[in-house]
Amino acid sequence: MQYSAKVMDHFTNPRNVGEIEDASGVGTVGNAKCGDIMRIYLDIDDDDIIRDVKFKTFGCGAAVATSSMATELIKGKHVNEALKLTNRSVMDALDGLPAIKVHCSVLAEEAVRAALWDYAEKKGIKIDGLEKPADDIHDGHHEDLGECD
Amino acid sequence: MQYSAKVMDHFTNPRNVGEIEDASGVGTVGNAKCGDIMRIYLDIDDDDIIRDVKFKTFGCGAAVATSSMATELIKGKHVNEALKLTNRSVMDALDGLPAIKVHCSVLAEEAVRAALWDYAEKKGIKIDGLEKPADDIHDGHHEDLGECD
Amino acid sequence: MPNTIYLDNAATTKLKPEVLDAMMPFLTERYGNPSSVHKFGADCNTACEDARRSIANLINAKDNEIYFTSGGSESDNWAIKSVAYAKRDKGRHIITSGIEHHAVMETCEFLAREGFEVTFVGVDNQGIIKLDELKAAIRPDTILISVIYANNEIGTIQPIKEIGAIARSKGIIFHTDAVQAFGHIPIDVEKENINLLSASAHKIHGPKGVGMLYIKNSVRLLPMIHGGPHERKRRAGTLNVPGIVGFGKAAELAKASMEKNNAELIKLRNYAIDRILKEIPYSRLNGDRDRRLPGNINISFRFIEGESMLMMVDMKGIAASTGSACASGSLDPSHVLLAIGLPHEIAHGSIRMTMSEFTTKEELDHTIEALKEVVAKLRSMSPLYEDAVRNKEV
Amino acid sequence: MPNTIYLDNAATTKLKPEVLDAMMPFLTERYGNPSSVHKFGADCNTACEDARRSIANLINAKDNEIYFTSGGSESDNWAIKSVAYAKRDKGRHIITSGIEHHAVMETCEFLAREGFEVTFVGVDNQGIIKLDELKAAIRPDTILISVIYANNEIGTIQPIKEIGAIARSKGIIFHTDAVQAFGHIPIDVEKENINLLSASAHKIHGPKGVGMLYIKNSVRLLPMIHGGPHERKRRAGTLNVPGIVGFGKAAELAKASMEKNNAELIKLRNYAIDRILKEIPYSRLNGDRDRRLPGNINISFRFIEGESMLMMVDMKGIAASTGSACASGSLDPSHVLLAIGLPHEIAHGSIRMTMSEFTTKEELDHTIEALKEVVAKLRSMSPLYEDAVRNKEV
Ligand SMILES: Cc1ncc(COP(=O)(O)O)c(C=O)c1O
Ligand SMILES: Cc1ncc(COP(=O)(O)O)c(C=O)c1O
């Protein structure tokens, strides 16, 4: 298993680590049992532009790097653009991931969508193409979530 | 598998190789199928003393060395003494043999006895304790002798 | 990779220079095949027999009870499968522990799929097998007990002599995976009633790709690798002469220095454990503090994950290991850490540092400082830590 | 053992200096475990992957079709047993040849004891498998055909492409033991329809104790050695990094020089064969003269036995091999020599001389002179020769 230079860069110097007080939306996905939890904070302005984004991640090198890359890819974008983020685009931007780490990029995609969902809920709007995340969690202590994927 | 120095010496410089014209007794044992044939020639005087002994052997290093040692052990001896030669005494005199080569020393013992039997037959006498050898052969071309031991 | 602080000696070790020196003639001019009739081959045979003797000496075995293999995994597979197939008409029940190396665990699981029954006996929260559970698991059709001598992750040393006595009293064959114990702590196959024992050269500063199975003379074991008449017809394949010679030298050196090295290692180990537990909050030692290998340190840090921890210490020049799932390619964390009762999230946050006689106090001090930084950095990025702070749990 | 004329390259070969040079870093400073997360281990992983590529290149395979093992015997056992067990519900019939190496033959015999049926297809008196017999042996429950690529004793090269085509047309898995062919003659697993192929490093001037099994991507093969996730979960055990790196280098060198070496070897081989047959009476060449490995010479001398011949040439500094029973620890002479129709006594009198690119004409000339003396001396001691003279057969 070997990481690309891009992955190593984003792991070593992760962009946008941190929290946002009174964020427009927060999404947390994954679970501690499986060893990955990602939380994304969004600061979205009135024009639905993502002005700022931060993340916190409990997880392996790929989990950190995909979180970092995902935040970079949506920062400054309109929420409709951010919605188009896929795990594929995160992976491509990182020059690929080892096969056993692909699920980290899926998690990053889900984390962004969970945060957008939270934003939509808080604002009481509906965003086309966005569904309620299946396993959005908010405390990271779900020891009973069953099997890891 | 490793041979003792004594075995190597008797293999490298075998004693008593050759034939005896008009020998008092000749014995050939073993068979080509199994890879060992030993032939022993005895020259025995009127007092039943083995004045000379020669051998020819088709076989491995141990076969050559046991033949050589067996001839040394009986040379100059009375036939009754020679009869006491056992495979054990040949092996001991050679400082032992690898386990898978023990059968060579048995063959050497049998060759001596076969030659003595031939001597007794030719002379029309009976030597106490000497029986007709089971597998004394005289041409070495017994392809149908069955399994090797 | 210069300047690495190498704390992954349970994964593999550096070849000792003396070992390499012993191997060199066989990597150059003395390249014969020990099976050959000619002197050129016989010479190599003698060298292999000398190595066999050194290895036998280390565990009070006879020379002809040592069979060379390609390593610990092969030895484990051979021992367990051969007993299973040889005894299958007598019984099909196997007892092992919940903290075996994968080479034993997966072999037992394979046999379970093939119609054998396997009981995995549990360990207590210190990582020591429960002897009463083991005794209770024995049935009339039990054909094999296989218990790891010392665990590769948490370093706990099992009560092998007691298990040997139990197995013997019931007439059951006893195998132990001693890959982490052989050459590290004293072993006596006679006194401990061990019938089969696996070991591997590369864990004791010997070469990779060579190991051995000790097979007590009274035990008849079928070959796993059929073919030529090598190893008294029990393990076919041209002998790895340089590897075997290196293994023999490594065993000889291990025997000579074990006592002295261990006194030193235990001091260093306890020093490091004490400092870490004291200086880094929310850390815990995994595995019994005393009944553990001299060189093993295994710590869990809450709220963070092992692979990222490893990668960060790696960037500081420190090589270690983790029981986190991410690092192993599986999705579950170490079965050993779960077996001692750790919750998944804490199991994911473990780091294993395994020392050798070449490890220094300076290296450990440097490592502890690095760990402090890395743990703090990863916690500052951790949503679990954030939650714990918010909920005033920390 | 200075000044040995080494003519036992089919038994094992000398490590090339370039191969040892490639290995040295991994025997010293680069000692990491390729499975480790840290850079120190990853570096070794990269080196193993480079070796895998060189090896794949030599037989037109893909990198991920090469699985490292401990040698040819393990590869043979793995291939044959795994196919047998994986397909046992489909059928239990295996076809192999009468001139396999023990690693294949004994494995098949083991399977026969386990309830499989094995057909040993014969060879003609030149040592080439009878394709019509092979075809006729195929049954609806045939699950595997395993035929040696080039024989280790008499050097005959089998019609592998034809066998591959037959196997493919019947949907039967085809394994070939290419231990003597790999790196010696061109192999193309794609064109020759080979599904599984065994090779060993120490036969091509690589190190002892490392080999490989080529497993075509479309073939699913169970592991024989269970355990850790090495080799894509198909072969557990810490990778023998120096060994693998050496194997890779040896493969690379073999590829680069095969064509040139072989032209030279064939010339030398034919020169030696011609001289021996001409200058030593009652000698015969075993195995086809042309469809044979460039470096293989196998001759029988009537009236004398192989082990004593070997020992005598050994004393003259020449290392060779024999098919005589005495030399192998069994009581029957080589099954290969019997399979080509030699009577026992002639099979016992065979000698195999196998050359490498380092063999010189001077060495061969010296060897032929030695052979002449030794054969004459042993005949003068032979009761069989005495009888033949007496009976005017000679
Ligand atoms: C044809 C053939 N197959 C298999 C083997 C076994 O290979 P190894 O000695 O690497 O186990 C050999 C050599 O010994 C061989 O010549
Ligand atoms: C306890 C234990 N058993 C077995 C093995 C397997 O040994 P090897 O890597 O030599 O196959 C190891 C090490 O990897 C181990 O630590």
Side-chain angles (χ1 to χ4, degrees), chain D residues 45-66:
Chain D
N45 188 53
T46 309
C48 290
E49 294 312 311
D50 291 346
R52 206 186 295 280
R53 194 165 320 115
S54 302
I55 289 162
N57 265 343
L58 195 42
I59 56 171
N60 191 26
K62 298 180 197 71
D63 300 5
N64 65 4
E65 293 175 322
I66 305 298

PDB file of all heavy atoms in Angstrom, chain D residues 45-66:
ATOM      1  N   ASN D  45       9.136  -2.739   0.068  1.00  0.00           N
ATOM      2  CA  ASN D  45       8.014  -3.158  -0.745  1.00  0.00           C
ATOM      3  C   ASN D  45       8.243  -2.772  -2.208  1.00  0.00           C
ATOM      4  O   ASN D  45       8.027  -3.564  -3.119  1.00  0.00           O
ATOM      5  CB  ASN D  45       6.739  -2.512  -0.207  1.00  0.00           C
ATOM      6  CG  ASN D  45       5.511  -3.051  -0.879  1.00  0.00           C
ATOM      7  OD1 ASN D  45       5.312  -4.254  -0.918  1.00  0.00           O
ATOM      8  ND2 ASN D  45       4.710  -2.175  -1.438  1.00  0.00           N
ATOM      9  N   THR D  46       8.707  -1.555  -2.411  1.00  0.00           N
ATOM     10  CA  THR D  46       8.998  -1.091  -3.768  1.00  0.00           C
ATOM     11  C   THR D  46      10.010  -2.011  -4.445  1.00  0.00           C
ATOM     12  O   THR D  46       9.854  -2.388  -5.610  1.00  0.00           O
ATOM     13  CB  THR D  46       9.568   0.346  -3.714  1.00  0.00           C
ATOM     14  OG1 THR D  46       8.671   1.134  -2.930  1.00  0.00           O
ATOM     15  CG2 THR D  46       9.705   0.940  -5.096  1.00  0.00           C
ATOM     16  N   ALA D  47      11.039  -2.378  -3.701  1.00  0.00           N
ATOM     17  CA  ALA D  47      12.075  -3.240  -4.271  1.00  0.00           C
ATOM     18  C   ALA D  47      11.497  -4.591  -4.676  1.00  0.00           C
ATOM     19  O   ALA D  47      11.845  -5.145  -5.731  1.00  0.00           O
ATOM     20  CB  ALA D  47      13.205  -3.418  -3.248  1.00  0.00           C
ATOM     21  N   CYS D  48      10.581  -5.112  -3.870  1.00  0.00           N
ATOM     22  CA  CYS D  48       9.969  -6.405  -4.204  1.00  0.00           C
ATOM     23  C   CYS D  48       9.091  -6.269  -5.441  1.00  0.00           C
ATOM     24  O   CYS D  48       9.027  -7.189  -6.275  1.00  0.00           O
ATOM     25  CB  CYS D  48       9.147  -6.930  -3.032  1.00  0.00           C
ATOM     26  SG  CYS D  48      10.145  -7.456  -1.632  1.00  0.00           S
ATOM     27  N   GLU D  49       8.418  -5.155  -5.568  1.00  0.00           N
ATOM     28  CA  GLU D  49       7.560  -4.970  -6.741  1.00  0.00           C
ATOM     29  C   GLU D  49       8.392  -4.832  -8.015  1.00  0.00           C
ATOM     30  O   GLU D  49       7.994  -5.301  -9.075  1.00  0.00           O
ATOM     31  CB  GLU D  49       6.624  -3.770  -6.547  1.00  0.00           C
ATOM     32  CG  GLU D  49       5.588  -3.975  -5.435  1.00  0.00           C
ATOM     33  CD  GLU D  49       4.868  -5.322  -5.523  1.00  0.00           C
ATOM     34  OE1 GLU D  49       4.385  -5.678  -6.618  1.00  0.00           O
ATOM     35  OE2 GLU D  49       4.817  -6.040  -4.497  1.00  0.00           O
ATOM     36  N   ASP D  50       9.538  -4.207  -7.897  1.00  0.00           N
ATOM     37  CA  ASP D  50      10.430  -4.126  -9.061  1.00  0.00           C
ATOM     38  C   ASP D  50      10.877  -5.530  -9.484  1.00  0.00           C
ATOM     39  O   ASP D  50      10.916  -5.861 -10.670  1.00  0.00           O
ATOM     40  CB  ASP D  50      11.665  -3.267  -8.738  1.00  0.00           C
ATOM     41  CG  ASP D  50      11.303  -1.794  -8.568  1.00  0.00           C
ATOM     42  OD1 ASP D  50      10.173  -1.410  -8.960  1.00  0.00           O
ATOM     43  OD2 ASP D  50      12.129  -1.042  -8.030  1.00  0.00           O
ATOM     44  N   ALA D  51      11.183  -6.346  -8.498  1.00  0.00           N
ATOM     45  CA  ALA D  51      11.613  -7.720  -8.801  1.00  0.00           C
ATOM     46  C   ALA D  51      10.476  -8.486  -9.465  1.00  0.00           C
ATOM     47  O   ALA D  51      10.690  -9.247 -10.417  1.00  0.00           O
ATOM     48  CB  ALA D  51      12.051  -8.424  -7.514  1.00  0.00           C
ATOM     49  N   ARG D  52       9.287  -8.279  -8.952  1.00  0.00           N
ATOM     50  CA  ARG D  52       8.124  -8.976  -9.510  1.00  0.00           C
ATOM     51  C   ARG D  52       7.997  -8.654 -11.002  1.00  0.00           C
ATOM     52  O   ARG D  52       7.707  -9.517 -11.823  1.00  0.00           O
ATOM     53  CB  ARG D  52       6.876  -8.520  -8.758  1.00  0.00           C
ATOM     54  CG  ARG D  52       5.726  -9.507  -8.751  1.00  0.00           C
ATOM     55  CD  ARG D  52       4.481  -8.913  -8.105  1.00  0.00           C
ATOM     56  NE  ARG D  52       4.607  -8.612  -6.687  1.00  0.00           N
ATOM     57  CZ  ARG D  52       4.507  -9.520  -5.709  1.00  0.00           C
ATOM     58  NH1 ARG D  52       4.251 -10.765  -6.014  1.00  0.00           N
ATOM     59  NH2 ARG D  52       4.645  -9.175  -4.452  1.00  0.00           N
ATOM     60  N   ARG D  53       8.252  -7.391 -11.346  1.00  0.00           N
ATOM     61  CA  ARG D  53       8.141  -6.968 -12.733  1.00  0.00           C
ATOM     62  C   ARG D  53       9.186  -7.658 -13.606  1.00  0.00           C
ATOM     63  O   ARG D  53       8.878  -8.155 -14.691  1.00  0.00           O
ATOM     64  CB  ARG D  53       8.272  -5.436 -12.817  1.00  0.00           C
ATOM     65  CG  ARG D  53       7.831  -4.848 -14.152  1.00  0.00           C
ATOM     66  CD  ARG D  53       7.622  -3.327 -14.072  1.00  0.00           C
ATOM     67  NE  ARG D  53       6.981  -2.963 -12.817  1.00  0.00           N
ATOM     68  CZ  ARG D  53       7.532  -2.216 -11.846  1.00  0.00           C
ATOM     69  NH1 ARG D  53       8.731  -1.706 -12.002  1.00  0.00           N
ATOM     70  NH2 ARG D  53       6.874  -1.969 -10.720  1.00  0.00           N
ATOM     71  N   SER D  54      10.423  -7.727 -13.112  1.00  0.00           N
ATOM     72  CA  SER D  54      11.478  -8.376 -13.909  1.00  0.00           C
ATOM     73  C   SER D  54      11.142  -9.834 -14.171  1.00  0.00           C
ATOM     74  O   SER D  54      11.420 -10.369 -15.247  1.00  0.00           O
ATOM     75  CB  SER D  54      12.816  -8.344 -13.164  1.00  0.00           C
ATOM     76  OG  SER D  54      13.176  -7.032 -12.870  1.00  0.00           O
ATOM     77  N   ILE D  55      10.568 -10.460 -13.163  1.00  0.00           N
ATOM     78  CA  ILE D  55      10.250 -11.882 -13.283  1.00  0.00           C
ATOM     79  C   ILE D  55       9.087 -12.083 -14.244  1.00  0.00           C
ATOM     80  O   ILE D  55       9.115 -12.970 -15.099  1.00  0.00           O
ATOM     81  CB  ILE D  55       9.981 -12.464 -11.874  1.00  0.00           C
ATOM     82  CG1 ILE D  55      11.304 -12.527 -11.109  1.00  0.00           C
ATOM     83  CG2 ILE D  55       9.313 -13.831 -11.955  1.00  0.00           C
ATOM     84  CD1 ILE D  55      11.158 -12.652  -9.619  1.00  0.00           C
ATOM     85  N   ALA D  56       8.073 -11.242 -14.115  1.00  0.00           N
ATOM     86  CA  ALA D  56       6.916 -11.326 -15.013  1.00  0.00           C
ATOM     87  C   ALA D  56       7.360 -11.136 -16.465  1.00  0.00           C
ATOM     88  O   ALA D  56       6.927 -11.851 -17.373  1.00  0.00           O
ATOM     89  CB  ALA D  56       5.878 -10.277 -14.619  1.00  0.00           C
ATOM     90  N   ASN D  57       8.259 -10.184 -16.639  1.00  0.00           N
ATOM     91  CA  ASN D  57       8.783  -9.869 -17.974  1.00  0.00           C
ATOM     92  C   ASN D  57       9.387 -11.060 -18.699  1.00  0.00           C
ATOM     93  O   ASN D  57       9.346 -11.153 -19.918  1.00  0.00           O
ATOM     94  CB  ASN D  57       9.928  -8.848 -17.850  1.00  0.00           C
ATOM     95  CG  ASN D  57       9.420  -7.452 -18.034  1.00  0.00           C
ATOM     96  OD1 ASN D  57       8.317  -7.262 -18.553  1.00  0.00           O
ATOM     97  ND2 ASN D  57      10.199  -6.474 -17.598  1.00  0.00           N
ATOM     98  N   LEU D  58       9.975 -11.926 -17.936  1.00  0.00           N
ATOM     99  CA  LEU D  58      10.728 -13.033 -18.513  1.00  0.00           C
ATOM    100  C   LEU D  58       9.808 -14.072 -19.144  1.00  0.00           C
ATOM    101  O   LEU D  58      10.233 -14.868 -19.992  1.00  0.00           O
ATOM    102  CB  LEU D  58      11.577 -13.662 -17.391  1.00  0.00           C
ATOM    103  CG  LEU D  58      12.711 -14.613 -17.717  1.00  0.00           C
ATOM    104  CD1 LEU D  58      13.533 -14.145 -18.890  1.00  0.00           C
ATOM    105  CD2 LEU D  58      13.600 -14.788 -16.499  1.00  0.00           C
ATOM    106  N   ILE D  59       8.543 -14.079 -18.739  1.00  0.00           N
ATOM    107  CA  ILE D  59       7.617 -15.096 -19.261  1.00  0.00           C
ATOM    108  C   ILE D  59       6.353 -14.470 -19.843  1.00  0.00           C
ATOM    109  O   ILE D  59       5.350 -15.153 -20.027  1.00  0.00           O
ATOM    110  CB  ILE D  59       7.239 -16.130 -18.166  1.00  0.00           C
ATOM    111  CG1 ILE D  59       6.639 -15.419 -16.941  1.00  0.00           C
ATOM    112  CG2 ILE D  59       8.462 -16.945 -17.756  1.00  0.00           C
ATOM    113  CD1 ILE D  59       6.053 -16.391 -15.908  1.00  0.00           C
ATOM    114  N   ASN D  60       6.413 -13.172 -20.097  1.00  0.00           N
ATOM    115  CA  ASN D  60       5.261 -12.453 -20.648  1.00  0.00           C
ATOM    116  C   ASN D  60       4.023 -12.559 -19.766  1.00  0.00           C
ATOM    117  O   ASN D  60       2.903 -12.761 -20.251  1.00  0.00           O
ATOM    118  CB  ASN D  60       4.949 -12.951 -22.075  1.00  0.00           C
ATOM    119  CG  ASN D  60       3.953 -12.048 -22.773  1.00  0.00           C
ATOM    120  OD1 ASN D  60       3.851 -10.855 -22.463  1.00  0.00           O
ATOM    121  ND2 ASN D  60       3.193 -12.610 -23.709  1.00  0.00           N
ATOM    122  N   ALA D  61       4.235 -12.430 -18.456  1.00  0.00           N
ATOM    123  CA  ALA D  61       3.117 -12.425 -17.508  1.00  0.00           C
ATOM    124  C   ALA D  61       2.887 -10.997 -17.025  1.00  0.00           C
ATOM    125  O   ALA D  61       3.689 -10.102 -17.298  1.00  0.00           O
ATOM    126  CB  ALA D  61       3.432 -13.328 -16.325  1.00  0.00           C
ATOM    127  N   LYS D  62       1.794 -10.800 -16.325  1.00  0.00           N
ATOM    128  CA  LYS D  62       1.566  -9.510 -15.672  1.00  0.00           C
ATOM    129  C   LYS D  62       2.165  -9.556 -14.274  1.00  0.00           C
ATOM    130  O   LYS D  62       2.235 -10.622 -13.657  1.00  0.00           O
ATOM    131  CB  LYS D  62       0.076  -9.217 -15.589  1.00  0.00           C
ATOM    132  CG  LYS D  62      -0.551  -9.102 -16.969  1.00  0.00           C
ATOM    133  CD  LYS D  62      -2.034  -8.804 -16.888  1.00  0.00           C
ATOM    134  CE  LYS D  62      -2.682  -9.107 -18.225  1.00  0.00           C
ATOM    135  NZ  LYS D  62      -2.732 -10.590 -18.494  1.00  0.00           N
ATOM    136  N   ASP D  63       2.575  -8.378 -13.786  1.00  0.00           N
ATOM    137  CA  ASP D  63       3.192  -8.323 -12.454  1.00  0.00           C
ATOM    138  C   ASP D  63       2.334  -9.029 -11.413  1.00  0.00           C
ATOM    139  O   ASP D  63       2.836  -9.784 -10.585  1.00  0.00           O
ATOM    140  CB  ASP D  63       3.327  -6.879 -11.959  1.00  0.00           C
ATOM    141  CG  ASP D  63       4.186  -6.054 -12.876  1.00  0.00           C
ATOM    142  OD1 ASP D  63       4.596  -6.559 -13.937  1.00  0.00           O
ATOM    143  OD2 ASP D  63       4.426  -4.883 -12.529  1.00  0.00           O
ATOM    144  N   ASN D  64       1.045  -8.760 -11.463  1.00  0.00           N
ATOM    145  CA  ASN D  64       0.185  -9.280 -10.388  1.00  0.00           C
ATOM    146  C   ASN D  64      -0.190 -10.750 -10.592  1.00  0.00           C
ATOM    147  O   ASN D  64      -1.073 -11.260  -9.920  1.00  0.00           O
ATOM    148  CB  ASN D  64      -1.049  -8.400 -10.205  1.00  0.00           C
ATOM    149  CG  ASN D  64      -1.961  -8.434 -11.420  1.00  0.00           C
ATOM    150  OD1 ASN D  64      -1.706  -9.169 -12.378  1.00  0.00           O
ATOM    151  ND2 ASN D  64      -3.017  -7.656 -11.393  1.00  0.00           N
ATOM    152  N   GLU D  65       0.513 -11.397 -11.503  1.00  0.00           N
ATOM    153  CA  GLU D  65       0.326 -12.836 -11.658  1.00  0.00           C
ATOM    154  C   GLU D  65       1.499 -13.628 -11.036  1.00  0.00           C
ATOM    155  O   GLU D  65       1.522 -14.850 -11.099  1.00  0.00           O
ATOM    156  CB  GLU D  65       0.181 -13.197 -13.148  1.00  0.00           C
ATOM    157  CG  GLU D  65      -1.119 -12.640 -13.744  1.00  0.00           C
ATOM    158  CD  GLU D  65      -1.255 -12.872 -15.259  1.00  0.00           C
ATOM    159  OE1 GLU D  65      -0.232 -12.777 -15.977  1.00  0.00           O
ATOM    160  OE2 GLU D  65      -2.385 -13.115 -15.706  1.00  0.00           O
ATOM    161  N   ILE D  66       2.439 -12.917 -10.464  1.00  0.00           N
ATOM    162  CA  ILE D  66       3.620 -13.565  -9.869  1.00  0.00           C
ATOM    163  C   ILE D  66       3.459 -13.589  -8.343  1.00  0.00           C
ATOM    164  O   ILE D  66       3.271 -12.543  -7.731  1.00  0.00           O
ATOM    165  CB  ILE D  66       4.904 -12.779 -10.233  1.00  0.00           C
ATOM    166  CG1 ILE D  66       5.041 -12.616 -11.750  1.00  0.00           C
ATOM    167  CG2 ILE D  66       6.144 -13.449  -9.610  1.00  0.00           C
ATOM    168  CD1 ILE D  66       5.165 -13.896 -12.535  1.00  0.00           C
TER     169      ILE D  66
END
